Structure formats: C-alpha cells, structure tokens
Amino acid sequence: MIYFSAVGMVNALGNNNAQIAASLTAGVSPGMFVQEGWLTENRPVWLGAVTGYLPPVPESLSVHRSRNNQLLLAALAQIETPVSEVIARYGHERVAVIMGTSTSGIAEGEDAVRHLHQQGAFPQGYDYQQQELGDPSQFMAELLELTGPAYTLSTACSSSAKAIISGMRLIESGLADAAIVGGADSLCRMPVNGFNSLESFSRGRCTPFGQDRDGINIGEAAALILLTREPADVALLGTGESSDAWHMSAPHPEGAGAERAIRMALQQAGLEPENVGYINAHGTATPLNDQVESAVIHRVFGSQIPCSSTKHLTGHTLGAAGATEAALSWLILTQNLNLPPQDFSITPRDASLPDIRLVDAPQRLERPVILSNSFAFGGNNASIVIGRPS
C-alpha cells in the first residue's frame, strides 16, 4: 500500500497547513478577492492568490526562476525534514519527482515578451526554460539533487492528480522507493483571458452547484505530497483514469469517462460506493461541469454521500487542482475537520440538478474515506480515493 507520508501546500486559503485548516473550517478565504489589470477588456475579476512570503529561487538555479517554482518552494519548506530523511534512507536515485502544471512560468514569459516589445530586447536574466512545462520537475530534481525519474504532466485540470497516480505506479513497479508528487500553477494572463474568451469566467465569486452559476474563478497554488510504502495516517487506496476525447473543452454530456474514472478508483480500493464518507467534487461552477458531475455522482452514489466543491475558496487552481484537493482531503482526515459546506449565500442551490447530498452546513466525516475528482479539458479524467488504512 502507498501512503501520504507528508503534505505541504499553499493556496488562497493560507500559506501553510495550519492556516489552511483554520480558513477551511471557518469557510473563509483570505486570498480570494477582486483584482484589476488581468483582462484585456479591463474589468475587475475575482482571483485566488497566495499572499504570503514566497522563498526565492536560489541563484545557482536562476534559469528556473519563476513564481511557479517559488510556490513549490513554499510547499516544500513544510515537508523538508521528511523529504530529507527519505532521500537519506533510499538514495538520490530512488526518489522520483512527478509534477503537474498547466502554466509553469508563463507569467514570466508574458512579462518578457512585453519587455521585448517595449525595449527591443528580453529582460536581463530571462531564460525560456522558466516557462517550459517540464520545468517544475526539473527544478525540484536539481534543487534536491535527485537522479531518479523526474517528469511533468500537463493534462490541464487533472495534471497533478495524474502526478499522484504516476508516483504511485513508479513505487509499485519498483522504479522508485518514494515519490514527491503534486504540482503548481501561478496566476498569469493567458489562462485568465483564455477562460474569459470561452465565456467560462465568472463575473463574480464562483458558485459551484448554484442556480445562477456562470463560470470559474482562477486561483494559484502549490501542493506537494510525499508518497512512500512507510505506514502513515492516510493511504492512497485507489485511483482511476479515463479519457472521453469528446470535445476540446466541454465534458461528455453524460459524463461517461468521469463515471469510469470514479468506478475504477472504487474498484481498485476494493470499496462500494456506500463506503465513501465524502466526495470532493471537481465542481468548477460552470453550468455544464456541475450538471454533468451531479448526474455522475447521482448514478454512482445516489443522494447518500456528502459532497461539495472547494473551488469557491481556492479558485480553480488548474494544473495544481488535483493535488490541492487531495491535500485538502488529507487535511480533513488527519485533523478531523468539518466537511466544507457549499456556499449558497450568493445564489440558491440549483434545484434542477440531479439529487446529490451537497453539504450546506458544517458536518463531520462519517466514514474515513474521501473521493477527490479532477475532470479536465479534452475529457482527461482522474479520481483518487484516500482514507485511513484498515
């Protein structure tokens, strides 16, 4: 069995696990607020930002200098001791690094191109490698002097969920003894304007499963999870993946692939739907996603299992979303937190959606098993089941 041996994260809820747990319990998000200057049409937007201190990228690794990698450093600082112990125990060649991202250092690339147009040259210190999608894993491997498998996955919003699954497979196959998995995405103009052009960007704070929901808020985050075979409080019980290949940006109308991923994860975990205690829904607050995901959850679980989305608190953290929400699920399990309720103060619950048991008030986890869903563009789906080992 593979375990979550250590978890570190930063997002709009806070800058460490303690802050994030407190914000999640209170249902508040210090980093979710209105910002200006992001959209080409020059209107303010709700975004989820990391507002605390971010460690600088070391000068020796300056070609990797990006906010994305600073987010990873902030998450790594929280698990530095267990990571160092694992490297010392197994060796630098036996620890894998698998990251997920959809933006990498594109924000730095945007600034560099702007400087090029204004000044006729790229700014001093800019390196294209900063924005390559493979950079997060290369940066982490070089920083920690690891020589084992290291690669980055970029499958949009399921990227870091798939990084977790890939790390698990490397350990199970004997190619690694431990894996540092997760991902990061930083705020930048490309996805903000891209989602706006798709008419998928909310004009206010996003309202998952709400009657008048109109799209997502984008957030930035990093989450790192140390996977090992060493027994810990939370185990990775099962995983599932599928690909709809239905549409570039819209989900399969019946959620066929999403349902396959969920059922695969349950089967791998050896669990029945009624064994699950909580579902962390993908819940983007777009009209289509919430409709399709509700239908899938209802088909698999009926209306018996508590579920909610946390994206109104973190924003949609894109390539970091899968690991962020797995990490939040880990936090609920390890700190016995209340399940995060859905916020229907802005708009009431959409009564036209299939009947699922949306959490609308704080409640305890009844069974120590959590399913976390990540459904991406192109129908690239991943579901993860974590829980207390039996």
Side-chain angles (χ1 to χ4, degrees):
M1 186 172 285
I2 307 300
Y3 297 88
F4 280 27
S5 295
V7 175
M9 57 180 155
V10 292
N11 53 56
L13 286 164
N15 302 310
N16 54 54
N17 292 340
Q19 291 179 9
I20 291 168
S23 296
L24 196 62
T25 299
V28 298
S29 184
M32 286 289 294
F33 52 88
V34 178
Q35 298 188 41
E36 297 188 2
W38 289 92
L39 288 177
T40 54
E41 62 188 60
N42 199 29
R43 67 174 172 85
V45 291
W46 278 86
L47 297 171
V50 173
T51 57
Y53 169 78
L54 295 179
V57 173
E59 187 62 36
S60 60
L61 297 174
S62 61
V63 294
H64 302 288
R65 189 170 288 147
S66 68
R67 182 173 177 83
N68 221 60
N69 288 338
Q70 287 185 271
L71 292 169
L72 286 173
L73 283 174
L76 179 64
Q78 301 167 45
I79 60 172
E80 192 168 2
T81 296
V83 165
S84 297
E85 290 172 350
V86 160
I87 294 171
R89 186 176 307 123
Y90 296 119
H92 290 77
E93 75 282 2
R94 296 294 298 170
V95 179
V97 178
I98 315 299
M99 295 290 107
T101 191
S102 64
T103 65
S104 191
I106 289 176
E108 285 69 28
E110 292 171 345
D111 292 341
V113 169
R114 190 177 301 108
H115 190 279
L116 173 65
H117 288 166
Q118 294 172 352
Q119 306 293 331
F122 285 117
Q124 186 176 4
Y126 170 70
D127 191 295
Y128 181 79
Q129 188 169 328
Q130 292 168 292
Q131 70 183 64
E132 289 181 337
L133 288 173
D135 191 60
S137 55
Q138 186 175 351
F139 166 67
M140 290 289 290
E142 290 184 20
L143 177 74
L144 297 169
E145 299 180 345
L146 299 176
T147 56
Y151 57 89
T152 303
L153 295 165
S154 188
T155 56
C157 311
S158 61
S159 300
S160 54
K162 286 181 169 288
I164 296 172
I165 297 171
S166 295
M168 175 197 72
R169 287 178 177 152
L170 286 172
I171 297 172
E172 289 181 337
S173 68
L175 292 172
D177 291 310
I180 302 165
V181 300
D185 260 346
S186 48
L187 289 173
C188 56
R189 288 172 177 78
M190 184 194 73
V192 170
N193 286 278
F195 276 98
N196 188 54
S197 69
L198 290 171
E199 299 181 348
S200 296
F201 211 79
S202 178
R203 298 193 72 85
R205 189 165 183 173
C206 73
T207 54
F209 305 103
Q211 177 178 287
D212 299 318
R213 66 190 184 279
D214 63 345
I216 73 171
N217 300 142
I218 286 180
E220 63 179 359
L224 292 177
I225 300 164
L226 178 62
L227 299 180
T228 72
R229 290 188 182 274
E230 300 166 11
D233 291 338
V234 173
L236 180 52
L237 301 176
T239 65
E241 296 177 273
S242 68
S243 179
D244 292 336
W246 170 262
H247 187 274
M248 280 295 292
S249 59
H252 187 282
E254 289 153 15
E259 182 173 350
R260 281 198 303 275
I262 292 171
R263 292 193 184 278
M264 188 185 303
L266 290 174
Q267 182 180 26
Q268 188 180 101
L271 298 172
E272 297 298 327
E274 59 267 24
N275 299 137
V276 174
Y278 169 66
I279 302 166
N280 182 277
H282 188 55
T284 60
T286 61
L288 272 179
N289 176 90
D290 292 6
Q291 179 183 7
V292 170
E293 189 173 13
S294 295
V296 170
I297 290 174
H298 181 75
R299 282 202 302 272
V300 178
F301 299 95
S303 57
Q304 302 307 307
I305 308 301
C307 57
S308 63
S309 167
T310 48
K311 286 187 172 64
H312 63 295
L313 297 171
T314 63
H316 192 337
T317 58
L318 306 180
T324 293
E325 290 164 26
L328 292 177
S329 300
W330 171 87
L331 205 58
I332 292 168
L333 283 162
T334 56
Q335 299 200 18
N336 195 28
L337 302 182
N338 284 333
L339 301 181
Q342 213 65 79
D343 182 3
F344 293 120
S345 62
I346 298 173
T347 181
R349 173 178 175 165
D350 187 349
S352 71
L353 295 177
D355 184 24
I356 57 176
R357 188 180 163 188
L358 284 171
V359 178
D360 56 11
Q363 65 182 77
R364 290 293 183 184
L365 184 67
E366 297 172 2
R367 291 173 294 279
V369 176
I370 295 178
L371 167 74
S372 185
N373 289 331
S374 299
F375 305 140
F377 277 2
N380 204 310
N381 309 303
S383 292
I384 291 173
V385 178
I386 67 172
R388 298 281 187 183
S390 56

